[in-house]
Amino acid sequence: MANITKKVSWSSRADESGPVGEATPLLNGSEQPRLPRQLSGGGNIFQIGRLSTVDLEEEMTSEEESLRGRPKEIPHNEKLLSLKFESLDYDNIENQLFLEEERRMSHMGFRCLEISRWVVCGLIGFLTGLIACFIDIAVEELAGQKYKVVKKNIDNFTEAGGLSISLILWVVLNSAIAMVGSIIVAFFEPIAAGSGIPQIKCYLNGIKIPRVVRLKTLVVKVAGVICSVVGGLAVGKEGPMIHSGAVIAAGVSQGRSTSLKKDFKIFEYFRRDTEKRDFVSAGAAAGVSAAFGAPVGGVLFSLEEGASFWNQMLTWRIFFASMISTFTLNFFLSIYKNNPGDLSSPGLINFGRFETDTVAYNLYEIPLFIAMGAIGGLLGALFNVLNYWLTIFRIRYVHRPCLQVMEAMLVAAVTATVSFAMIYFSNDCQPLGPDHTEEYPLQLFCADGEYNSMATAFFNTPEKSVVSLFHNQPGTYNPLTLGLFTLTYFFLACWTYGLAVSAGVFIPSLLIGAAWGRLCGILLASTTPNGSGWAVPGKYALIGAAAQLGGIVRMTLSLTVIMVEATGNVTYGLPIMLVLMTSKIVGDYFVEGLYDIHIKLQSVPFLHWEAPATSHWLMAREVMSSPVTCLNRIEKVGTIVDILSNTSTNHNGFPVVVQDTASEEPPKLCGLILRSQLIVLLKHKVFVELARTRLTQRKLQLKDFRDAYPRFPPIQSIHVSQDERECMMDLTEFMNATPYTVPQETSLPRVFKLFRALGLRHLVVVDDANRVVGLVTRKDLARYHVGKHGLEELQLAQT
Amino acid sequence: MANITKKVSWSSRADESGPVGEATPLLNGSEQPRLPRQLSGGGNIFQIGRLSTVDLEEEMTSEEESLRGRPKEIPHNEKLLSLKFESLDYDNIENQLFLEEERRMSHMGFRCLEISRWVVCGLIGFLTGLIACFIDIAVEELAGQKYKVVKKNIDNFTEAGGLSISLILWVVLNSAIAMVGSIIVAFFEPIAAGSGIPQIKCYLNGIKIPRVVRLKTLVVKVAGVICSVVGGLAVGKEGPMIHSGAVIAAGVSQGRSTSLKKDFKIFEYFRRDTEKRDFVSAGAAAGVSAAFGAPVGGVLFSLEEGASFWNQMLTWRIFFASMISTFTLNFFLSIYKNNPGDLSSPGLINFGRFETDTVAYNLYEIPLFIAMGAIGGLLGALFNVLNYWLTIFRIRYVHRPCLQVMEAMLVAAVTATVSFAMIYFSNDCQPLGPDHTEEYPLQLFCADGEYNSMATAFFNTPEKSVVSLFHNQPGTYNPLTLGLFTLTYFFLACWTYGLAVSAGVFIPSLLIGAAWGRLCGILLASTTPNGSGWAVPGKYALIGAAAQLGGIVRMTLSLTVIMVEATGNVTYGLPIMLVLMTSKIVGDYFVEGLYDIHIKLQSVPFLHWEAPATSHWLMAREVMSSPVTCLNRIEKVGTIVDILSNTSTNHNGFPVVVQDTASEEPPKLCGLILRSQLIVLLKHKVFVELARTRLTQRKLQLKDFRDAYPRFPPIQSIHVSQDERECMMDLTEFMNATPYTVPQETSLPRVFKLFRALGLRHLVVVDDANRVVGLVTRKDLARYHVGKHGLEELQLAQT
């Protein structure tokens, strides 16, 4: 039987980016010492760079770990597609083991599985709600302490002079807290930086982002977000909730913690990518639900970002997790607020109730709303462009952790200084309400019984500022205050997003929008006849907030529902939708959404919903990678080890072929096997020769694969002796015997649809006699996108 | 070249249900007269029976039409799967013509298409809203007139005696109106009967239900629903809105009306099943949105019923249509109510606003809610079982239109009589409120300044009764009234559903549930300490309504959202979800949901979300139909005509094969072609020989296929001369060159997933050398379901 394994790169394009060379066979177990991977033949995969927070591999040895501190400065090119990301296996590997297990399972067994799925979703919702509750209470308490200290200090020094001491106190407090938040992120878990939404988007899209759903990430994320909000940065605590929910889901559903080395021996059936990704969508939804009190919005967020094939039961479970999550948060917050049973705070941010009677809208206001949507789109695009440049700058020059911490401290200090200056120079005094709705009213230079209006916007957690912009009586803010606030907060928020702190952009966006929206309302009320009748500032603040947020993040359906649920008023559905649509259309004309920009900067092979419209002239033949490294159904162990050790190719899926011994025909496709499976087989030494001598031994079971999931050992850690290299391995039982295939003439959109709808990782391209001619993977499809000059092709690179 | 066409049935199972016989080649154009199809060889496809409202074929000649009036009484068996339903082609037919068109289209062209999709969705929303508005106003006006007449009559005769005259007046009025509604349905368009939701569910599932989206159906549906509601039947006008929206969508998106013979020459690109089904989902969502003022609920309904592959842009368009629809309804209703600009009636039914303050729920009430959910599940199951028996009875004995009309009249008369009796014998008098919230207060034997409480429930449109049960002050109804009302209305509603009138079951269900729910509330308030404090009857009415509706229709996610949107209060989300889940679990233990029962009674090959869990041991080899009728790439016209004319098989998709002339190997798969395409080819005489002589003539274009869509002529109408039979047809250009295939060993769940996720109609099963061995269609997959004794297989029959 001829060995048809071909030792060439599976993607011919990859060849251009690095030397292929003859692979260095790593003879593990022979005298040849194990080379550190970064020195081996095609080891260019380690030129990672800190393209922000996502790193290459789950498995890093300690010496490799130490390299992470000093990455090289690499030139950045957004026309690249990174080869370092792998897909999740959303398609079940239907090999004989799997089928046998499924066939053994009774109807009752499947029912029990279904029940445990519900239990897991309930747990996810509950824990996510608890985490949200913890974050909320921690922020409230700590920020309360901070504001009390600073306020007391300011009050003391206002009369006596020497407010500069107050300023220094404020700056030092903020910087110190922000420093703590930044240190844990930058030094311990860089992937916990930012809102985490881009990472979760990628994960739900089917891309394996290393370390994104680990326990450590969760701890750093939660501690980090508390620090950033308390540290007075222009950030929100809502985005990180989505990431937290996802981590909880990934952890709970596996019934074990690899970090804590604790295996509860439950939910073992769920230890594969298919099930795990489903639970992660539930977790993300629970996170949204807890953040905004928007369970339906959470479900739609998960579906908008993650779903490929819609499954009714899954959706229903996601909804259940969302409901439990908001209910848990609500319940515990009501206890915290000494008002048990009052379920009126379903989310971390509550916009407060918009009553239809007080703020109904008229038909003639709709054009105004649309105009505001356009403004939001413009401002959002400006925000994104500025942040894009800033991110490029950061990738080039601010990639060391200590620099990142210093930048975070600088931003915290500047934020405090600017806030103080704004408050100091503002002379917008407002009478204190009779019911003292302001939590920390700063009197400063105002008369007794009055407070500084600029301080309500700056001297407060951003969530409370948003609510006060929505609901305070007309006349609470004067236009100049709002204008200045918008301007400063815009730049502060833009600077803040992308820092090495754990923080979200939702609330700052809402705040900016609410400020200029309220300004619009005030201007309309004063310039139009009857304006004061209908131009309620709170209503325009809401529309502005929606416009600004839509302009920045460009989410559509889910955002509308989130806004509607957060306002608790269905009437605003249509205006909010129109505003979001306008801002998206206007914004998309200039630049992509913020999350998409950050995803693109990572060179992640992100698959959109459909293939580019004008790609019908491309065929599978042109898209696929070829030639393909194939394995025989009964293959020599040495060959397999060599192929797996070949770092220049680093393939993950191998078509299995079989040749009719009688005829001279080329071999035919008979299955597909994954690198991870081969590694487990090698580890358990499932060799044909050994099987004959060890007939009494137990057969390899699905459990062995599950135990190794998700951190399969690298091939280098597996010891294969020279004798064993001469053995044969029979893959029949373990390969997926019915991989999906397409003919060579299939058009790109058709390939794309199959790939996306079924969440595939490998799609084999065959000729008319079922012979393997190529393999389509995520990277082959993600390469094509519509640019300014029609269809463009991204380059693949080992960045 | 060997002719490999096999004239055997494509499903070997179908052979058992009827004689195959040698097909009678219908030599159209030869001397042999055209036989009416019901007399030809395998013409058993015409043993249709009125398995309620769905008929066999779109194309019926007039003589066939006349047979419809006298169908044979056929025994019914729910273990059958009908062969008469065809699938929609949700998979694009990517033949050369299509690819060429797509390749010619510029990026701008695709953008214009996208814009026109939005325009179409806007139109769908607008028109659906208008229709809803029309129905609402018509019902309001006509019912108002009727109630005024009857009330005046009753008021007159209460003092004078002779109330029997009032009874007769009421009965005659109701019967007459119901008769009109029933006549148009039974005689003109039987498919307009019922709520239309089962039919739309099937359509969105991918099944072609004849005549379901025609203009005539819409007209009959709208007129019918007005008559049934005004006729005082226990029905709602909400379900039919979903059907109406779907019809509007199907009509608007095609840019022409085949019924009216008017082609606007627009939206020609949308003339295929793929696009049409997408628009129909938007229409259904717009219908839900208009019915309940629930745009998000509408989107979720469409997705829950219809989506296979979730597409973000599509969802967003569906949402747009929903928003426009509720907005249009709201806007025009506000004008009708002389209160323009007051956008407070977003749906046909408005539950009225539940304020959080007045009707908050406590944690300890949740077990009570769950118990009510269980009651709802039980009552729902009872309702469904009764209705199932009734439907079986109707299928057997009440299938003539005149009988159906008489039954409808009888039900209307009984409803009026029972209502009258209940009101007459009730002595529950309540004081008239100061603001006269009751629209038609019947004094009857009550003292002056009081009215009969039973009359508010019966002497009113069901929508208003629901709202009064939700919101009237505690004490408005006494328990006996509510109990009696529940009992009578339960049986009336159960009897009514399935009549040959156009009407929905949502509102009756809500009404029954609200009645017993309120009863529960009253009992709780009187039997528990402090009960009167927390057991607000309106709250329990809402929970009861949700439980009852959930128990009958078993919808879950979308129903929760619809209820939440209709109450305008997010707080009730969790209780409503728990109640709906409980009622579904309890109900499913006994019997399926009402819509599913009716779908099953039609023997529709409905595909659920997933293959039965215990079906992993089945392989494509066992599931597929074989042998398959294949065509050669260059095929003789006569053969094609014979195959298409073979009524005993009536296949719709034919794999196209090609044989290497050099070798002796069996032919290999090279494409797939549909019956409809072959018919267009035959009609335009695209024969190889003719092409040579008519080189100057225009080539066949995609437009020719679109013009024929969706009512392709039957093969009998195409004239093929004896000479032409000897010509050859080249299918290369027209066949789908890259059909999806699976190997024989693929497990049923895997086949199912591929089929369902991509919305396929035909899936070719090939061996390892790419030779056709079988064909999987919808019927092959829908056959398997989980019964009481594990996996069961339904029989296929030509019913």
Side-chain angles (χ1 to χ4, degrees), chain B residues 617-655:
Chain B
W617 53 271
L618 278 170
M619 291 189 177
R621 192 191 298 125
E622 293 139 299
V623 172
M624 70 191 185
S625 307
S626 71
V628 183
T629 311
C630 293
L631 296 175
N632 282 305
R633 199 157 68 178
I634 296 176
E635 187 60 276
K636 225 178 97 189
V637 172
T639 318
I640 293 177
V641 173
D642 289 347
I643 291 172
L644 294 185
S645 311
N646 185 347
T647 44
S648 73
T649 54
N650 207 21
H651 299 173
N652 280 288
F654 304 92

Side-chain angles (χ1 to χ4, degrees), chain B residues 721-742:
Chain B
S721 73
Q722 202 57 265
D723 283 354
E724 285 169 342
R725 284 181 63 88
E726 297 304 315
C727 291
M728 302 301 278
M729 251 163 77
D730 186 354
L731 307 178
T732 317
E733 223 177 331
F734 309 103
M735 69 188 187
N736 177 356
T738 53
Y740 293 110
T741 59
V742 285

Side-chain angles (χ1 to χ4, degrees), chain A residues 112-186:
Chain A
C112 289
L113 263 186
E114 190 60 26
I115 291 172
S116 37
R117 286 201 189 98
W118 282 91
V119 171
V120 170
C121 282
L123 272 175
I124 292 170
F126 179 72
L127 290 176
T128 309
L130 271 190
I131 296 267
C133 193
F134 171 71
I135 293 178
D136 198 55
I137 293 175
V139 167
E140 187 115 331
E141 291 295 327
L142 293 174
Q145 289 303 327
K146 190 193 82 175
Y147 285 123
K148 261 182 213 150
V149 169
V150 177
K151 180 176 148 50
K152 205 172 152 197
N153 193 287
I154 293 180
D155 286 348
N156 283 345
F157 283 103
T158 311
E159 300 287 309
L163 270 177
S164 50
I165 295 173
S166 305
L167 170 62
I168 290 168
L169 173 73
W170 195 359
V171 166
V172 168
L173 264 181
N174 274 10
S175 296
I177 301 169
M179 188 186 72
V180 175
S182 185
I183 282 176
I184 53 173
V185 169

Side-chain angles (χ1 to χ4, degrees), chain B residues 547-599:
Chain B
Q548 183 67 52
L549 184 53
I552 291 175
V553 304
R554 311 281 165 78
M555 282 151 63
T556 47
L557 181 61
S558 52
L559 201 53
T560 310
V561 176
I562 288 173
M563 295 289 288
V564 168
E565 286 190 287
T567 54
N569 194 322
V570 182
T571 322
Y572 278 108
L574 187 76
I576 289 177
M577 194 188 68
L578 288 175
V579 163
L580 286 176
M581 269 171 67
T582 317
S583 66
K584 183 175 162 65
I585 291 169
V586 172
D588 278 350
Y589 183 79
F590 298 101
V591 67
E592 287 179 284
L594 189 61
Y595 299 138
D596 295 314
I597 287 177
H598 280 260
I599 287 173

Side-chain angles (χ1 to χ4, degrees), chain B residues 89-312:
Chain B
D89 283 302
Y90 200 60
D91 182 40
N92 269 336
I93 305 148
E94 289 212 343
N95 55 20
Q96 286 185 23
L97 289 181
F98 175 82
L99 287 175
E100 274 165 26
E101 194 194 70
E102 297 282 312
R103 284 166 196 165
R104 267 200 309 274
M105 240 152 92
S106 66
H107 192 65
M108 210 53 204
F110 282 105
R111 189 157 285 184
C112 289
L113 263 187
E114 190 60 26
I115 293 172
S116 36
R117 285 200 189 100
W118 281 91
V119 171
V120 170
C121 281
L123 272 175
I124 291 170
F126 180 72
L127 291 175
T128 308
L130 271 190
I131 296 267
C133 192
F134 171 72
I135 293 179
D136 198 55
I137 295 176
V139 167
E140 186 117 330
E141 291 295 327
L142 293 174
Q145 290 303 327
K146 191 192 81 174
Y147 285 123
K148 263 183 212 150
V149 169
V150 177
K151 181 175 147 50
K152 204 171 151 196
N153 192 287
I154 293 180
D155 287 346
N156 283 345
F157 282 104
T158 311
E159 299 287 309
L163 271 175
S164 51
I165 295 173
S166 304
L167 171 62
I168 290 168
L169 173 73
W170 194 358
V171 167
V172 167
L173 264 180
N174 274 10
S175 296
I177 301 168
M179 187 185 73
V180 175
S182 184
I183 283 175
I184 54 175
V185 169
F187 285 96
F188 293 103
E189 196 53 277
I191 202 158
S195 71
I197 294 179
Q199 284 90 335
I200 297 302
K201 265 184 92 153
C202 289
Y203 188 93
L204 294 181
N205 192 259
I207 301 159
K208 197 180 249 164
I209 307 282
R211 299 204 318 283
V212 79
V213 290
R214 289 212 183 162
L215 185 61
K216 192 176 158 196
T217 311
L218 175 65
V219 173
V220 171
K221 191 112 213 166
V222 170
V225 75
I226 294 172
C227 290
S228 358
V229 178
V230 174
L233 291 171
V235 297
K237 56 195 187 310
E238 280 67 22
M241 269 319 299
I242 299 166
H243 193 167
S244 307
V247 180
I248 289 168
V252 170
S253 65
Q254 302 300 295
R256 71 174 165 196
S257 162
T258 322
S259 311
L260 300 181
K261 307 245 183 321
K262 180 115 188 93
D263 191 340
F264 295 95
K265 304 272 179 203
I266 45 170
F267 308 142
E268 289 179 343
Y269 188 86
F270 302 144
R271 293 181 190 170
R272 48 188 157 126
D273 286 344
T274 324
E275 299 278 352
K276 195 170 168 182
R277 203 189 77 165
D278 284 352
F279 287 115
V280 170
S281 1
V288 175
S289 172
F292 300 98
V296 180
V299 173
L300 288 175
F301 173 84
S302 263
L303 292 172
E304 205 170 328
E305 300 307 340
S308 47
F309 176 63
W310 163 286
N311 182 312
Q312 198 177 19

Side-chain angles (χ1 to χ4, degrees), chain A residues 369-386:
Chain A
F369 294 160
I370 290 177
M372 286 176 71
I375 298 175
L378 284 175
L379 287 179
L382 180 64
F383 187 100
N384 291 359
V385 168
L386 290 178

Side-chain angles (χ1 to χ4, degrees), chain A residues 416-432:
Chain A
T417 314
V418 168
S419 310
F420 191 85
M422 298 288 288
I423 296 173
Y424 187 81
F425 293 112
S426 155
N427 47 10
D428 178 12
C429 292
Q430 300 286 343
L432 268 174

